[in-house]
Structure formats: C-alpha cells, structure tokens
Amino acid sequence: MDFEEQAQRLRTHVEQLASDIGERNVFRPTSLQAAASYVEHEWEHQGYAVERLAYDVSGVRCLNLEITRSGSARDREILLIGAHYDTVTGSPGANDNASGVSALLEISRLFASIEPALTVRFVAFVNEEPPFFMTRRQGSTVYAEAARRRGDDIRLMASIETIGWYSSEPGSQSYPPLFNLFYPNRADFIGIVSNFRSRAAMRRLAAAFRANSDFPLETAATFSFIPGVSWSDHRSFWRQGYRAVMITDTAFHRYRYYHAPSDTPDKLAYPELARVTSGLFAAFSELARGGAD
C-alpha cells in the first residue's frame, strides 16, 4: 500500500471537515449539514447507496449516515464500523473526530474491492459530543436502540475515535491511575479499548491488526467507569448488550488540544494515521471474511 498517497487522502478529508467546514454541531446547523453532505458525497463517489437516518433535535434535522456491504455466506451477521462527524462547541475537531471520519471513509473505499462473508456496515454518527453524549439524543444511541428493536445481529461494533496524534517523546503519554504501571509512556501507539463482555472480540480484532501491521498497538479490557473508557459511540452499543470496542489514540490522555479551538489539521501526524488506517482496514477485512467471534 502507498502510505504517502493514503496519508494525502486522509489529510484532504481532515482539512475539508476541520478547516473548510470547521465547528459542526446542532448549534451550527449549516456546518453540521455540510459535514453530513461531505460524507454522503464521498460514499456515493465510492459507489455506495447512502441511507439517511434522520431525527430532530430542537428543530434541527440530524442525520446518522449508513452504507452497507452485504455479506456472502453469513449476511445476517454484522460488523459495524462507525465514527462521529460532529464536534464539541468551540472546536474545529481535526483529531476529534475528523481523524476518525477520514479513516472511516478510507476504510470504506478499500472495502469496495473485497467480498465479505459478513455484512459490513459503515455508520457516520451525529451528536456524539456534549450536551448529547449519554442522552437519548446521541446519534449512536438512536441507532443502537433501533438496531436492537430490529433484532440486528451485530457481532462487533468498532468506534473510531480521535486517532490522529502520535509522539515518540518520553512522557508524552498519560493514563488514569495505575495504568502507567502496565503501558508505555510514549504516545506512539494506537489503542483498542473494551469492556469485559467485549474482551474476546477485542482480542480477535487486535490479533488481526497485529498480523497485518507493525504499528504499535495496546489493548485494554476494563471497567467502563474509568475516565475515557466509555467516552464514545461504543457505549451506546454496550447499553444495548452488543459487543463493542473503541479504537483511539487515547484522546485527552495524550492530546493537549482535545476539545479546544486549537484542534486543527496541522496538529495531526498523517504518516502514522495512514499506517493505522491501513492496519485497521486489513484487520476489519480479516474479521469480515472469517467472523468477528
């Protein structure tokens, strides 16, 4: 894979979302719609039919966007890969979460060339950020509740959340209490985090990533109350009894510009982001062909 070319595609997505559009949430509905339109256009350009799953928040039309690659042999089993495209108030959200959306778009582009055994869904979620996080108006909550009502057999949900900042400097990585005893102090790795129920699926995904990439990876299956562990859309799926993980650079545990006006595209490490995205595509491809459990 040409990492340089991939890095440029990822940078283009981040710059479109975080520079050209900027802060995007229900308090800036025009920008929120522009971000949704950008994702929708990219997916249509890749050859997908986009489902626009709409609901209203305070008179603002909000969209979860979904595309699907139907499975061949095990089409009822679903691998769901998602990222949120909204930002917190006051931030252009380059790392949180244009980085995750850029990876989502690149992975879906690459998936167009393979034939999965499982059905693979890609979802761009709205309203992940406060004041909607952990409420019924969070986009992933709306989606996960509907999936449970339909009886969707989601074998694994993976939330791609804030994955664009890396450093090899000693002391660049911090943790909640005690985690520093077990994990490296350099912010040069990508992490996969799960609750205990999702641990086996997390290990399956991690093994697939390591088999296809030499990028450093750390994993943790732990309690959801630890700061940061449940702070993304995977939490909505945990609450519906699904297995779910978060893929993250650990956000505020390493990224000083988290939720700030300075979370801009120039802060991201695009060569590393490209390597992570490539590894995730290969790992998801392996699960899509062989099963997530």
PDB file of all heavy atoms in Angstrom, residues 58-85:
ATOM      1  N   SER A  58     -34.331  19.736  18.785  1.00  0.00           N
ATOM      2  CA  SER A  58     -34.634  21.163  18.921  1.00  0.00           C
ATOM      3  C   SER A  58     -34.881  21.830  17.569  1.00  0.00           C
ATOM      4  O   SER A  58     -34.397  22.943  17.310  1.00  0.00           O
ATOM      5  CB  SER A  58     -33.496  21.879  19.668  1.00  0.00           C
ATOM      6  OG  SER A  58     -33.295  21.306  20.938  1.00  0.00           O
ATOM      7  N   GLY A  59     -35.588  21.123  16.715  1.00  0.00           N
ATOM      8  CA  GLY A  59     -35.934  21.673  15.424  1.00  0.00           C
ATOM      9  C   GLY A  59     -34.859  21.559  14.364  1.00  0.00           C
ATOM     10  O   GLY A  59     -35.047  21.998  13.232  1.00  0.00           O
ATOM     11  N   VAL A  60     -33.726  20.955  14.710  1.00  0.00           N
ATOM     12  CA  VAL A  60     -32.635  20.750  13.753  1.00  0.00           C
ATOM     13  C   VAL A  60     -32.670  19.302  13.268  1.00  0.00           C
ATOM     14  O   VAL A  60     -32.708  18.368  14.079  1.00  0.00           O
ATOM     15  CB  VAL A  60     -31.263  21.058  14.389  1.00  0.00           C
ATOM     16  CG1 VAL A  60     -30.128  20.758  13.403  1.00  0.00           C
ATOM     17  CG2 VAL A  60     -31.194  22.509  14.851  1.00  0.00           C
ATOM     18  N   ARG A  61     -32.671  19.126  11.957  1.00  0.00           N
ATOM     19  CA  ARG A  61     -32.672  17.768  11.390  1.00  0.00           C
ATOM     20  C   ARG A  61     -31.270  17.187  11.486  1.00  0.00           C
ATOM     21  O   ARG A  61     -30.309  17.754  10.960  1.00  0.00           O
ATOM     22  CB  ARG A  61     -33.126  17.814   9.930  1.00  0.00           C
ATOM     23  CG  ARG A  61     -33.347  16.447   9.310  1.00  0.00           C
ATOM     24  CD  ARG A  61     -34.097  16.610   7.999  1.00  0.00           C
ATOM     25  NE  ARG A  61     -34.423  15.328   7.387  1.00  0.00           N
ATOM     26  CZ  ARG A  61     -33.765  14.834   6.342  1.00  0.00           C
ATOM     27  NH1 ARG A  61     -32.766  15.500   5.794  1.00  0.00           N
ATOM     28  NH2 ARG A  61     -34.125  13.667   5.820  1.00  0.00           N
ATOM     29  N   CYS A  62     -31.148  16.062  12.162  1.00  0.00           N
ATOM     30  CA  CYS A  62     -29.853  15.417  12.392  1.00  0.00           C
ATOM     31  C   CYS A  62     -29.824  14.081  11.657  1.00  0.00           C
ATOM     32  O   CYS A  62     -30.829  13.373  11.606  1.00  0.00           O
ATOM     33  CB  CYS A  62     -29.629  15.197  13.887  1.00  0.00           C
ATOM     34  SG  CYS A  62     -29.592  16.737  14.849  1.00  0.00           S
ATOM     35  N   LEU A  63     -28.661  13.745  11.126  1.00  0.00           N
ATOM     36  CA  LEU A  63     -28.543  12.557  10.288  1.00  0.00           C
ATOM     37  C   LEU A  63     -27.449  11.613  10.773  1.00  0.00           C
ATOM     38  O   LEU A  63     -26.285  12.014  10.900  1.00  0.00           O
ATOM     39  CB  LEU A  63     -28.207  12.965   8.846  1.00  0.00           C
ATOM     40  CG  LEU A  63     -29.248  13.750   8.056  1.00  0.00           C
ATOM     41  CD1 LEU A  63     -28.673  14.190   6.722  1.00  0.00           C
ATOM     42  CD2 LEU A  63     -30.502  12.898   7.829  1.00  0.00           C
ATOM     43  N   ASN A  64     -27.825  10.365  11.053  1.00  0.00           N
ATOM     44  CA  ASN A  64     -26.878   9.265  11.023  1.00  0.00           C
ATOM     45  C   ASN A  64     -26.832   8.772   9.583  1.00  0.00           C
ATOM     46  O   ASN A  64     -27.880   8.589   8.955  1.00  0.00           O
ATOM     47  CB  ASN A  64     -27.315   8.117  11.935  1.00  0.00           C
ATOM     48  CG  ASN A  64     -27.181   8.441  13.400  1.00  0.00           C
ATOM     49  OD1 ASN A  64     -26.253   9.121  13.825  1.00  0.00           O
ATOM     50  ND2 ASN A  64     -28.123   7.953  14.204  1.00  0.00           N
ATOM     51  N   LEU A  65     -25.659   8.563   9.051  1.00  0.00           N
ATOM     52  CA  LEU A  65     -25.495   8.108   7.674  1.00  0.00           C
ATOM     53  C   LEU A  65     -24.948   6.685   7.674  1.00  0.00           C
ATOM     54  O   LEU A  65     -24.010   6.384   8.421  1.00  0.00           O
ATOM     55  CB  LEU A  65     -24.539   9.034   6.920  1.00  0.00           C
ATOM     56  CG  LEU A  65     -24.962  10.502   6.843  1.00  0.00           C
ATOM     57  CD1 LEU A  65     -23.835  11.344   6.265  1.00  0.00           C
ATOM     58  CD2 LEU A  65     -26.228  10.664   6.027  1.00  0.00           C
ATOM     59  N   GLU A  66     -25.507   5.823   6.819  1.00  0.00           N
ATOM     60  CA  GLU A  66     -25.144   4.402   6.820  1.00  0.00           C
ATOM     61  C   GLU A  66     -24.952   3.889   5.402  1.00  0.00           C
ATOM     62  O   GLU A  66     -25.734   4.216   4.506  1.00  0.00           O
ATOM     63  CB  GLU A  66     -26.238   3.603   7.515  1.00  0.00           C
ATOM     64  CG  GLU A  66     -26.038   2.099   7.511  1.00  0.00           C
ATOM     65  CD  GLU A  66     -27.299   1.365   7.941  1.00  0.00           C
ATOM     66  OE1 GLU A  66     -28.172   1.102   7.086  1.00  0.00           O
ATOM     67  OE2 GLU A  66     -27.406   1.082   9.142  1.00  0.00           O
ATOM     68  N   ILE A  67     -23.901   3.108   5.215  1.00  0.00           N
ATOM     69  CA  ILE A  67     -23.737   2.333   3.993  1.00  0.00           C
ATOM     70  C   ILE A  67     -23.489   0.886   4.374  1.00  0.00           C
ATOM     71  O   ILE A  67     -23.058   0.590   5.490  1.00  0.00           O
ATOM     72  CB  ILE A  67     -22.590   2.860   3.102  1.00  0.00           C
ATOM     73  CG1 ILE A  67     -21.254   2.820   3.863  1.00  0.00           C
ATOM     74  CG2 ILE A  67     -22.906   4.257   2.586  1.00  0.00           C
ATOM     75  CD1 ILE A  67     -20.046   3.165   3.003  1.00  0.00           C
ATOM     76  N   THR A  68     -23.744  -0.017   3.425  1.00  0.00           N
ATOM     77  CA  THR A  68     -23.685  -1.448   3.720  1.00  0.00           C
ATOM     78  C   THR A  68     -22.998  -2.214   2.601  1.00  0.00           C
ATOM     79  O   THR A  68     -23.285  -1.982   1.426  1.00  0.00           O
ATOM     80  CB  THR A  68     -25.097  -2.016   3.923  1.00  0.00           C
ATOM     81  OG1 THR A  68     -25.744  -1.315   4.996  1.00  0.00           O
ATOM     82  CG2 THR A  68     -25.056  -3.506   4.255  1.00  0.00           C
ATOM     83  N   ARG A  69     -22.087  -3.117   2.979  1.00  0.00           N
ATOM     84  CA  ARG A  69     -21.589  -4.156   2.077  1.00  0.00           C
ATOM     85  C   ARG A  69     -22.203  -5.469   2.538  1.00  0.00           C
ATOM     86  O   ARG A  69     -21.874  -5.965   3.619  1.00  0.00           O
ATOM     87  CB  ARG A  69     -20.058  -4.271   2.138  1.00  0.00           C
ATOM     88  CG  ARG A  69     -19.277  -3.187   1.427  1.00  0.00           C
ATOM     89  CD  ARG A  69     -19.489  -3.137  -0.076  1.00  0.00           C
ATOM     90  NE  ARG A  69     -19.437  -4.436  -0.738  1.00  0.00           N
ATOM     91  CZ  ARG A  69     -18.309  -5.033  -1.113  1.00  0.00           C
ATOM     92  NH1 ARG A  69     -17.145  -4.473  -0.889  1.00  0.00           N
ATOM     93  NH2 ARG A  69     -18.369  -6.195  -1.720  1.00  0.00           N
ATOM     94  N   SER A  70     -23.110  -6.010   1.759  1.00  0.00           N
ATOM     95  CA  SER A  70     -23.802  -7.233   2.163  1.00  0.00           C
ATOM     96  C   SER A  70     -22.858  -8.423   2.138  1.00  0.00           C
ATOM     97  O   SER A  70     -22.046  -8.574   1.222  1.00  0.00           O
ATOM     98  CB  SER A  70     -24.986  -7.502   1.230  1.00  0.00           C
ATOM     99  OG  SER A  70     -25.943  -6.482   1.354  1.00  0.00           O
ATOM    100  N   GLY A  71     -22.984  -9.270   3.153  1.00  0.00           N
ATOM    101  CA  GLY A  71     -22.146 -10.451   3.231  1.00  0.00           C
ATOM    102  C   GLY A  71     -22.608 -11.536   2.283  1.00  0.00           C
ATOM    103  O   GLY A  71     -23.775 -11.583   1.877  1.00  0.00           O
ATOM    104  N   SER A  72     -21.689 -12.431   1.966  1.00  0.00           N
ATOM    105  CA  SER A  72     -22.000 -13.510   1.035  1.00  0.00           C
ATOM    106  C   SER A  72     -22.504 -14.751   1.765  1.00  0.00           C
ATOM    107  O   SER A  72     -23.619 -15.223   1.516  1.00  0.00           O
ATOM    108  CB  SER A  72     -20.767 -13.855   0.197  1.00  0.00           C
ATOM    109  OG  SER A  72     -19.664 -14.159   1.038  1.00  0.00           O
ATOM    110  N   ALA A  73     -21.720 -15.274   2.700  1.00  0.00           N
ATOM    111  CA  ALA A  73     -22.059 -16.543   3.340  1.00  0.00           C
ATOM    112  C   ALA A  73     -22.798 -16.362   4.659  1.00  0.00           C
ATOM    113  O   ALA A  73     -23.621 -17.196   5.036  1.00  0.00           O
ATOM    114  CB  ALA A  73     -20.785 -17.363   3.574  1.00  0.00           C
ATOM    115  N   ARG A  74     -22.519 -15.263   5.372  1.00  0.00           N
ATOM    116  CA  ARG A  74     -23.092 -15.061   6.714  1.00  0.00           C
ATOM    117  C   ARG A  74     -23.676 -13.650   6.781  1.00  0.00           C
ATOM    118  O   ARG A  74     -23.300 -12.839   7.620  1.00  0.00           O
ATOM    119  CB  ARG A  74     -22.001 -15.272   7.777  1.00  0.00           C
ATOM    120  CG  ARG A  74     -21.415 -16.669   7.731  1.00  0.00           C
ATOM    121  CD  ARG A  74     -20.058 -16.775   8.416  1.00  0.00           C
ATOM    122  NE  ARG A  74     -20.099 -16.524   9.830  1.00  0.00           N
ATOM    123  CZ  ARG A  74     -19.029 -16.594  10.626  1.00  0.00           C
ATOM    124  NH1 ARG A  74     -17.843 -16.908  10.130  1.00  0.00           N
ATOM    125  NH2 ARG A  74     -19.136 -16.334  11.918  1.00  0.00           N
ATOM    126  N   ASP A  75     -24.609 -13.372   5.890  1.00  0.00           N
ATOM    127  CA  ASP A  75     -25.068 -11.999   5.700  1.00  0.00           C
ATOM    128  C   ASP A  75     -25.875 -11.461   6.868  1.00  0.00           C
ATOM    129  O   ASP A  75     -26.016 -10.242   7.021  1.00  0.00           O
ATOM    130  CB  ASP A  75     -25.879 -11.885   4.399  1.00  0.00           C
ATOM    131  CG  ASP A  75     -27.135 -12.735   4.428  1.00  0.00           C
ATOM    132  OD1 ASP A  75     -27.010 -13.964   4.586  1.00  0.00           O
ATOM    133  OD2 ASP A  75     -28.227 -12.163   4.290  1.00  0.00           O
ATOM    134  N   ARG A  76     -26.401 -12.311   7.735  1.00  0.00           N
ATOM    135  CA  ARG A  76     -27.158 -11.830   8.892  1.00  0.00           C
ATOM    136  C   ARG A  76     -26.248 -11.327  10.003  1.00  0.00           C
ATOM    137  O   ARG A  76     -26.683 -10.563  10.870  1.00  0.00           O
ATOM    138  CB  ARG A  76     -28.095 -12.924   9.420  1.00  0.00           C
ATOM    139  CG  ARG A  76     -29.237 -13.258   8.459  1.00  0.00           C
ATOM    140  CD  ARG A  76     -30.195 -14.268   9.072  1.00  0.00           C
ATOM    141  NE  ARG A  76     -30.814 -13.745  10.293  1.00  0.00           N
ATOM    142  CZ  ARG A  76     -31.882 -12.943  10.318  1.00  0.00           C
ATOM    143  NH1 ARG A  76     -32.422 -12.541   9.178  1.00  0.00           N
ATOM    144  NH2 ARG A  76     -32.389 -12.546  11.454  1.00  0.00           N
ATOM    145  N   GLU A  77     -25.003 -11.782  10.003  1.00  0.00           N
ATOM    146  CA  GLU A  77     -24.030 -11.320  10.992  1.00  0.00           C
ATOM    147  C   GLU A  77     -23.437  -9.993  10.528  1.00  0.00           C
ATOM    148  O   GLU A  77     -23.049  -9.846   9.375  1.00  0.00           O
ATOM    149  CB  GLU A  77     -22.928 -12.355  11.192  1.00  0.00           C
ATOM    150  CG  GLU A  77     -23.441 -13.691  11.687  1.00  0.00           C
ATOM    151  CD  GLU A  77     -22.333 -14.717  11.797  1.00  0.00           C
ATOM    152  OE1 GLU A  77     -21.156 -14.321  11.983  1.00  0.00           O
ATOM    153  OE2 GLU A  77     -22.635 -15.923  11.682  1.00  0.00           O
ATOM    154  N   ILE A  78     -23.336  -9.040  11.450  1.00  0.00           N
ATOM    155  CA  ILE A  78     -22.950  -7.677  11.084  1.00  0.00           C
ATOM    156  C   ILE A  78     -21.690  -7.254  11.820  1.00  0.00           C
ATOM    157  O   ILE A  78     -21.578  -7.393  13.045  1.00  0.00           O
ATOM    158  CB  ILE A  78     -24.094  -6.690  11.408  1.00  0.00           C
ATOM    159  CG1 ILE A  78     -25.350  -7.037  10.608  1.00  0.00           C
ATOM    160  CG2 ILE A  78     -23.658  -5.240  11.146  1.00  0.00           C
ATOM    161  CD1 ILE A  78     -26.603  -6.353  11.119  1.00  0.00           C
ATOM    162  N   LEU A  79     -20.755  -6.715  11.049  1.00  0.00           N
ATOM    163  CA  LEU A  79     -19.609  -5.980  11.589  1.00  0.00           C
ATOM    164  C   LEU A  79     -19.908  -4.510  11.341  1.00  0.00           C
ATOM    165  O   LEU A  79     -20.086  -4.096  10.197  1.00  0.00           O
ATOM    166  CB  LEU A  79     -18.317  -6.395  10.883  1.00  0.00           C
ATOM    167  CG  LEU A  79     -17.074  -5.534  11.152  1.00  0.00           C
ATOM    168  CD1 LEU A  79     -16.686  -5.566  12.619  1.00  0.00           C
ATOM    169  CD2 LEU A  79     -15.910  -5.989  10.270  1.00  0.00           C
ATOM    170  N   LEU A  80     -19.994  -3.725  12.401  1.00  0.00           N
ATOM    171  CA  LEU A  80     -20.357  -2.313  12.277  1.00  0.00           C
ATOM    172  C   LEU A  80     -19.155  -1.443  12.638  1.00  0.00           C
ATOM    173  O   LEU A  80     -18.581  -1.576  13.722  1.00  0.00           O
ATOM    174  CB  LEU A  80     -21.542  -1.979  13.176  1.00  0.00           C
ATOM    175  CG  LEU A  80     -22.257  -0.647  12.917  1.00  0.00           C
ATOM    176  CD1 LEU A  80     -23.710  -0.721  13.379  1.00  0.00           C
ATOM    177  CD2 LEU A  80     -21.556   0.510  13.623  1.00  0.00           C
ATOM    178  N   ILE A  81     -18.777  -0.563  11.725  1.00  0.00           N
ATOM    179  CA  ILE A  81     -17.637   0.333  11.918  1.00  0.00           C
ATOM    180  C   ILE A  81     -18.168   1.754  11.864  1.00  0.00           C
ATOM    181  O   ILE A  81     -18.826   2.147  10.895  1.00  0.00           O
ATOM    182  CB  ILE A  81     -16.573   0.119  10.821  1.00  0.00           C
ATOM    183  CG1 ILE A  81     -16.176  -1.359  10.759  1.00  0.00           C
ATOM    184  CG2 ILE A  81     -15.359   1.004  11.069  1.00  0.00           C
ATOM    185  CD1 ILE A  81     -15.422  -1.734   9.487  1.00  0.00           C
ATOM    186  N   GLY A  82     -17.913   2.542  12.915  1.00  0.00           N
ATOM    187  CA  GLY A  82     -18.505   3.869  12.982  1.00  0.00           C
ATOM    188  C   GLY A  82     -17.547   4.931  13.474  1.00  0.00           C
ATOM    189  O   GLY A  82     -16.523   4.635  14.100  1.00  0.00           O
ATOM    190  N   ALA A  83     -17.901   6.190  13.195  1.00  0.00           N
ATOM    191  CA  ALA A  83     -17.181   7.354  13.700  1.00  0.00           C
ATOM    192  C   ALA A  83     -18.140   8.528  13.714  1.00  0.00           C
ATOM    193  O   ALA A  83     -19.007   8.632  12.842  1.00  0.00           O
ATOM    194  CB  ALA A  83     -15.962   7.675  12.830  1.00  0.00           C
ATOM    195  N   HIS A  84     -17.988   9.422  14.673  1.00  0.00           N
ATOM    196  CA  HIS A  84     -18.890  10.576  14.739  1.00  0.00           C
ATOM    197  C   HIS A  84     -18.275  11.761  14.002  1.00  0.00           C
ATOM    198  O   HIS A  84     -17.083  12.010  14.072  1.00  0.00           O
ATOM    199  CB  HIS A  84     -19.232  10.930  16.186  1.00  0.00           C
ATOM    200  CG  HIS A  84     -18.135  11.586  16.971  1.00  0.00           C
ATOM    201  ND1 HIS A  84     -17.942  12.965  16.994  1.00  0.00           N
ATOM    202  CD2 HIS A  84     -17.169  11.068  17.774  1.00  0.00           C
ATOM    203  CE1 HIS A  84     -16.923  13.246  17.780  1.00  0.00           C
ATOM    204  NE2 HIS A  84     -16.435  12.119  18.263  1.00  0.00           N
ATOM    205  N   TYR A  85     -19.153  12.518  13.305  1.00  0.00           N
ATOM    206  CA  TYR A  85     -18.662  13.621  12.486  1.00  0.00           C
ATOM    207  C   TYR A  85     -18.947  14.990  13.092  1.00  0.00           C
ATOM    208  O   TYR A  85     -18.529  16.009  12.542  1.00  0.00           O
ATOM    209  CB  TYR A  85     -19.238  13.535  11.068  1.00  0.00           C
ATOM    210  CG  TYR A  85     -20.739  13.680  10.942  1.00  0.00           C
ATOM    211  CD1 TYR A  85     -21.333  14.929  10.801  1.00  0.00           C
ATOM    212  CD2 TYR A  85     -21.565  12.559  10.927  1.00  0.00           C
ATOM    213  CE1 TYR A  85     -22.702  15.067  10.658  1.00  0.00           C
ATOM    214  CE2 TYR A  85     -22.937  12.689  10.776  1.00  0.00           C
ATOM    215  CZ  TYR A  85     -23.498  13.942  10.645  1.00  0.00           C
ATOM    216  OH  TYR A  85     -24.858  14.076  10.504  1.00  0.00           O
TER     217      TYR A  85
END
